[in-house]
């Protein structure tokens, strides 16, 4: 499996996983108020570089740790998590694969001046499904382990990844805004969930304009989660024309001080290492390494900002001042039950169809009173069968389907909404949904 992801199976699997951000689940985690050394500062470390294992969530998980060769236990270091792509490995990230040392940890290790601790975790089945939050838990455990043994600057903890690794980086930004100062998402989508997703985190998204695996609309959608959270001015950034073989980077304006959002669109396909002026991709010649290094460098020596919603926005430069929403319209919007007024209503849309199957998404909206639980039902059309469902509990009886809330998205304020998604076999259709309080 190469990073160009040319196999049709890779495209199908990623397309089948694609979903929009979960908007109703709220996990409020306060941001660390200021930078500080960790318990590992001043200690003689027991951790060493190399492939290691850790017990997490009752499972044995592995990761690759890279500690600076000149490590000094009195100096707080940056900590970067590099997350692999679907069917990639921690070793691919840690070594740079066929591109070698210049591309290790997405090019950041070579540019780190021996001043960063790097961690490359290994996903289960070479992916980041994050089932029941298991992968967020793994990162929690690794952060705790590293910070307890090594000297880490808590204001400079970052995550980055391509494709499925980008999806996991987005999930970490959503779920752990008090831990991650910034994330970098290469060609990402909401594949690993977004538990929380209401607090600001500095965000850099990079995506190809004609990505044939994860359409650029998916990258725009998750970017806009943090355009909103960070208080930035909504806009439609300029993107390069196909055939231009270049990229355009936009720094959003109006963002809260300390919470920038940056977006780089390039004329290319599904790759983390495009090269301007060429259709080739290369970890040794790409512009993305330097761009990401510059983005992260702005946080050096600065405390983590407060997450207070009352923080005043601070204008920042923008490469494209044109205002307007940049998220695409739903592919197949179809309200299927009455507008709020009763206990709840539900609406359906087809997110992504492919031969023999499709991905669907249902939005549940509370009526005029709050909900503490909900249930949505419908009848599958002939030939349809649900193969996977997230953010809900599924039960079936013949062709009748019932989905009930899970623990984190059952409580909705009056008029509030949440979503669940699923993968199904068969031909997509627009079901008639019923919604009731549970």
């Amino acid at each position: 499996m190469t990073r160009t992801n040319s196999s049709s199976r890779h495209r199908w699997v990623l397309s089948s996983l694609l979903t929009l951000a979960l908007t109703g689940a709220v996990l409020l985690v306060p941001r660390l108020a200021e930078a500080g050394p960790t318990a590992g500062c001043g200690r003689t470390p027991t951790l060493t570089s190399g492939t290691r294992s850790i017990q997490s969530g009752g499972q044995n998980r592995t990761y690759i740790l890279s500690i600076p060769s000149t490590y000094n236990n009195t100096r707080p270091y940056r900590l970067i998590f590099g997350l692999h792509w679907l069917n990639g490995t921690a070793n691919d990230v840690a070594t740079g694969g066929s591109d070698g040392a210049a591309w290790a940890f997405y090019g950041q290790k070579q540019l780190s001046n021996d001043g960063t601790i790097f961690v490359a975790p290994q996903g289960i089945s070479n992916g980041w499904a994050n089932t029941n939050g298991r992968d967020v838990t793994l990162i929690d455990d690794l952060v705790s382990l590293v910070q307890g043994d090594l000297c880490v600057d808590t204001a400079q903890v970052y995550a980055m990844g391509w494709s499925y690794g980008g999806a996991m980086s987005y999930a970490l930004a959503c779920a752990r805004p008090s831990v991650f100062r910034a994330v970098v998402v290469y060609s990402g989508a909401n594949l690993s969930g977004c538990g929380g997703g209401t607090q600001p985190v500095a965000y850099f998204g990079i995506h190809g304009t004609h990505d044939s695996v994860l359409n650029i609309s998916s990258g725009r959608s998750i970017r806009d989660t943090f355009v909103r959270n960070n208080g930035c001015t909504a806009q439609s950034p300029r993107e390069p024309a196909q055939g231009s073989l270049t990229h355009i980077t936009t720094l959003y304006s109006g963002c809260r001080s300390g919470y920038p959002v940056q977006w780089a669109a390039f004329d290319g396909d599904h790759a983390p290492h495009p090269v301007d002026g060429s259709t080739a991709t290369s970890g040794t010649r790409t512009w993305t390494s330097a761009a990401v290094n510059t983005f992260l460098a702005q946080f050096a020596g600065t405390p983590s900002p407060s997450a207070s919603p009352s923080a005043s926005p601070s204008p920042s430069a923008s490469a494209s001042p044109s205002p307007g929403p940049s998220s695409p319209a739903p592919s197949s919007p179809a309200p299927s039950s009455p507008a709020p007024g009763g206990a709840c209503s539900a609406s359906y849309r087809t997110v992504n169809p492919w031969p023999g199957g499709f991905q669907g998404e249902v939005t549940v909206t509370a009526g005029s009173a709050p909900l503490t639980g909900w249930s949505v039902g419908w009848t599958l059309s002939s030939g349809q069968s649900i193969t996977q469902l997230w953010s809900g509990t599924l039960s079936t009886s013949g062709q009748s389907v019932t989905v009930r809330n899970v623990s984190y998205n059952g409580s909705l304020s009056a008029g509030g909404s949440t979503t669940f998604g699923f993968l199904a076999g068969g031909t997509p259709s627009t079901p008639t949904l019923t919604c009731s309080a549970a």
Side-chain angles (χ1 to χ4, degrees):
M1 179 68 193
T2 65
R3 285 191 304 273
T4 57
N5 291 296
S6 58
S7 74
S8 59
R9 175 168 177 77
H10 178 84
R11 297 175 191 275
W12 179 87
V13 172
L14 281 181
S15 294
S16 70
L17 288 168
L18 181 57
T19 184
L20 293 180
L22 177 68
T23 58
V26 177
L27 178 62
L28 297 177
V29 185
R31 177 174 288 284
L32 297 170
E34 59 184 18
T38 59
C41 294
R43 292 185 52 181
T44 300
T46 61
L47 293 173
T48 55
S49 296
T51 301
R52 309 181 63 88
S53 62
I54 184 173
Q55 286 293 313
S56 178
Q59 293 180 293
N60 186 56
R61 304 291 297 267
T62 62
Y63 65 99
I64 296 175
L65 176 65
S66 178
I67 302 172
S69 60
T70 55
Y71 176 76
N72 181 334
N73 66 6
T74 64
R75 169 192 171 184
Y77 287 80
R78 293 195 310 175
L79 174 59
I80 292 180
F81 284 83
L83 298 154
H84 63 76
W85 45 97
L86 177 64
N87 293 333
T89 66
N91 187 64
D92 291 331
V93 172
T95 65
S98 60
D99 287 302
W103 187 237
F105 287 95
Y106 297 99
Q108 297 314 298
K109 187 173 181 180
Q110 188 177 68
L111 298 174
S112 70
N113 195 28
D114 211 33
T116 301
I117 298 166
F118 291 95
V119 180
Q122 179 61 47
I124 295 173
S125 299
N126 291 347
W128 301 104
N130 194 30
T131 305
N132 297 321
R134 67 189 181 192
D135 294 321
V136 170
T137 298
L138 170 65
I139 303 302
D140 287 343
D141 293 339
L142 287 171
V143 168
S144 179
L145 176 70
V146 172
Q147 291 187 351
D149 196 71
L150 301 172
C151 194
V152 175
D153 181 353
T154 58
Q156 291 201 79
V157 180
Y158 309 107
M160 62 184 62
W162 172 55
S163 196
Y164 219 161
M168 189 62 207
S169 299
Y170 171 70
L172 291 171
C174 290
R176 296 295 182 263
S178 64
V179 176
F180 287 91
R181 185 66 185 84
V183 300
V184 182
V185 176
Y186 302 81
S187 309
N190 187 346
L191 307 176
S192 306
C194 180
T198 62
Q199 299 298 302
V201 173
Y203 188 91
F204 187 10
I206 301 171
H207 216 113
T209 56
H210 49 97
D211 192 319
S212 60
V213 178
L214 294 174
N215 189 276
I216 192 172
S217 62
S218 65
R220 296 181 190 125
S221 178
I222 60 175
R223 172 203 68 196
D224 287 351
T225 299
F226 290 96
V227 170
R228 293 187 296 270
N229 292 354
N230 298 7
C232 308
T233 302
Q235 59 180 278
S236 295
R238 290 191 307 121
E239 294 174 353
Q242 190 163 346
S244 63
L245 299 179
T246 187
H247 72 281
I248 297 176
T249 301
T250 298
L251 180 62
Y252 272 73
S253 62
C255 304
R256 295 182 195 176
S257 178
Y259 294 104
V261 172
Q262 191 164 301
W263 174 250
F266 63 91
D267 174 32
D269 203 337
H270 192 63
H273 42 26
V275 177
D276 277 351
S278 174
T279 57
T281 57
S282 169
T284 61
R285 295 189 292 130
T286 185
W287 51 268
T288 63
S289 299
V292 169
N293 186 64
T294 299
F295 178 74
L296 297 183
Q298 68 185 296
F299 307 113
T302 62
S304 298
S306 166
S308 169
S310 61
S312 300
S314 175
S316 59
S318 171
S320 176
S322 56
S326 54
S327 294
S331 57
S332 301
S336 300
S337 65
C344 60
S345 64
S347 61
Y348 167 84
R349 75 184 196 100
T350 297
V351 176
N352 191 29
W354 58 87
F358 62 97
Q359 179 187 336
E361 181 183 73
V362 174
T363 299
V364 179
T365 304
S368 56
L371 283 180
T372 56
W374 48 262
S375 175
V376 174
W378 73 94
T379 301
L380 295 173
S381 298
S382 177
Q384 291 181 344
S385 61
I386 292 180
T387 57
Q388 182 180 346
L389 185 136
W390 53 91
S391 301
T393 301
L394 172 69
S395 59
T396 59
S397 177
Q399 292 299 103
S400 297
V401 172
T402 302
V403 177
R404 293 178 173 83
N405 64 275
V406 288
S407 60
Y408 58 78
N409 65 358
S411 296
L412 298 176
S413 60
S417 63
T418 188
T419 62
F420 65 86
F422 61 89
L423 304 180
T427 302
S429 61
T430 302
T432 298
L433 306 180
T434 61
C435 186
S436 59

